[in-house]
Amino acid sequence: MKNSSFYYSVGPLLYCPADREDLAGSLICGRFGTGYSLSLCLEDTIGDHRVKEAEQTLIRTLKTLYREKKRRDFYLPQMFIRVRNPLQIPSLLERLGEAESVVRGFALPKFSEKNADDYLKQIEDAGQTYRRRIYAMPILESPDLVSLTGRPAFLASIRRKLDDAEPLILNVRVGGNDLCHLFGFRRRSDETIYDILPVAAILSDIVTTFGTDYVVSGPVWEYYSGPGWKSGLIRELKKDRLCGFIGKTVIHPSQIEVVREAYMVPHQELADARAILDWDDNCGRLVSSNTSKERMDEFKTHYNWAAVTIMLSEAYGVK
């Protein structure tokens, strides 16, 4: 389990094509609000023939944000770049010049045994070059996850690779739509990804493999308008949180506050968490009624829950 609220701070990760010419202006004027992070995508949202052009737009955007942030105060989210291949990491950072400091880290799509070592080496090398910690967010969405017999070995191998670079792994992310695509599935706004049992089984195995030591973030919800989009998102977020996912990829600003609200900590849960962490283990009894006398608190079995609850309250706030 991560012991710093920073690893929980990504929150709603707004996914945006890197070739948006108006993005810097939208951020400077606060169009998307606050309380989110931003991932600039050079991968699936960009046509193969337009990658170079998108890179140039991304660099202009980040240089503008870097320059304007020095001149005025505005909400600048944690910024990540979703790259296509490991070599884009040093190339983009070098071309950004001083503006490289705006980049918190990189989202690493289709993360697999074939590219993991190259990706993580580039992340580590970049941190040494720029003398700061640059974070990785590997995205688990490759076809290797489908094989019922091969999945345990694949996840175990990825786990070993991430453990070697553990402090640099900000989140483990999942590509819900990519996994659905492999089967030809797509959920409606009144269905959650947990209703798609073959995909839900993969998500369960990912949390089982990584959830005890890493923050694992929830899959994208693709509805942002129309009948039932918000109630559907709330329903899926409830299941996300119950199953161990923290935070979520979002694709529209209207989703940001819904995700933040879902992960805000109720005041009563925060009180219980504090009581558990402040337990006097010299009293001889490690179980008692909770602070509202509604349920049981037990020091040994609820300690990890309490620690995560405190960190969520720091990252998302209290309701």
Side-chain angles (χ1 to χ4, degrees):
M1 184 185 67
K2 292 293 187 182
N3 61 0
S4 167
S5 60
F6 174 71
Y7 289 92
Y8 297 79
S9 68
V10 174
L13 180 66
L14 182 61
Y15 181 73
C16 179
D19 63 351
R20 278 193 56 171
E21 295 281 359
D22 62 341
L23 180 59
S26 295
L27 292 172
I28 292 168
C29 73
R31 179 182 172 192
F32 305 145
T34 60
Y36 65 95
S37 300
L38 185 64
S39 179
L40 300 176
C41 179
L42 289 166
E43 199 224 2
D44 285 347
T45 62
I46 305 297
D48 294 344
H49 63 290
R50 297 191 66 246
V51 175
K52 294 301 181 183
E53 180 182 343
E55 287 181 346
Q56 292 169 359
T57 302
L58 179 150
I59 290 168
R60 285 197 301 271
T61 296
L62 295 181
K63 286 185 174 181
T64 298
L65 291 171
Y66 173 76
R67 182 176 63 251
E68 292 301 312
K69 188 62 175 175
K70 295 173 70 174
R71 296 174 52 192
R72 66 179 100 172
D73 185 36
F74 60 92
Y75 177 75
L76 184 64
Q78 295 190 71
M79 306 285 290
F80 301 90
I81 301 174
R82 178 173 169 138
V83 291
R84 286 187 165 224
N85 60 70
L87 292 180
Q88 276 185 315
I89 294 173
S91 172
L92 290 169
L93 290 174
E94 181 179 0
R95 291 153 65 190
L96 280 166
E98 291 184 347
E100 58 80 21
S101 61
V102 173
V103 180
R104 178 74 74 183
F106 292 86
L108 313 178
K110 311 295 189 294
F111 197 79
S112 69
E113 294 171 294
K114 297 177 182 178
N115 58 30
D117 292 337
D118 290 339
Y119 267 132
L120 295 176
K121 183 178 188 307
Q122 292 298 341
I123 292 290
E124 292 171 354
D125 288 351
Q128 294 176 3
T129 298
Y130 296 98
R131 298 182 180 180
R132 65 182 180 93
R133 187 168 286 185
I134 294 173
Y135 290 93
M137 296 197 298
I139 306 172
L140 301 182
E141 55 189 353
S142 73
D144 306 88
L145 288 162
V146 173
S147 170
L148 190 61
T149 56
R151 188 188 310 155
F154 171 78
L155 289 173
S157 174
I158 296 298
R159 172 67 195 249
R160 288 192 295 270
K161 292 178 183 299
L162 295 191
D163 284 351
D164 288 339
E166 182 269 333
L168 304 179
I169 309 303
L170 185 55
N171 286 176
V172 175
R173 310 196 72 86
V174 296
N177 279 355
D178 283 76
L179 293 175
C180 288
H181 162 71
L182 294 172
F183 294 97
F185 298 152
R186 189 176 191 181
R187 64 199 186 279
R188 297 191 298 264
S189 63
D190 61 345
E191 300 166 331
T192 74
I193 201 165
Y194 302 97
D195 297 318
I196 307 174
L197 296 184
V199 177
I202 296 173
L203 298 180
S204 176
D205 287 347
I206 289 172
V207 173
T208 300
T209 303
F210 301 98
T212 55
D213 296 288
Y214 295 90
V215 174
V216 186
S217 296
V220 68
W221 176 260
E222 61 185 343
Y223 297 93
Y224 57 88
S225 184
W229 78 267
K230 187 174 181 179
S231 59
L233 174 56
I234 292 171
R235 189 161 48 248
E236 183 162 292
L237 281 163
K238 184 176 181 179
K239 293 186 177 183
D240 282 345
R241 186 165 181 181
L242 182 62
C243 293
F245 291 102
I246 295 172
K248 199 170 184 70
T249 299
V250 300
I251 45 83
H252 192 274
S254 64
Q255 298 176 335
I256 292 172
E257 192 55 37
V258 182
V259 175
R260 288 198 58 80
E261 172 71 19
Y263 283 94
M264 290 180 72
V265 175
H267 186 270
Q268 182 58 58
E269 291 198 1
L270 181 61
D272 287 357
R274 286 173 172 165
I276 291 167
L277 295 182
D278 292 339
W279 205 291
D280 181 5
D281 55 6
N282 292 319
C283 70
R285 181 178 293 175
L286 300 181
V287 62
S288 74
S289 297
N290 77 325
T291 55
S292 62
K293 309 300 181 185
E294 296 174 329
R295 64 181 179 182
M296 177 189 74
D297 279 349
E298 188 172 0
F299 176 76
K300 287 186 176 180
T301 58
H302 293 140
Y303 184 90
N304 284 348
W305 168 86
V308 170
T309 298
I310 294 295
M311 288 184 281
L312 285 175
S313 73
E314 295 172 353
Y316 289 90
V318 181
K319 61 180 177 183

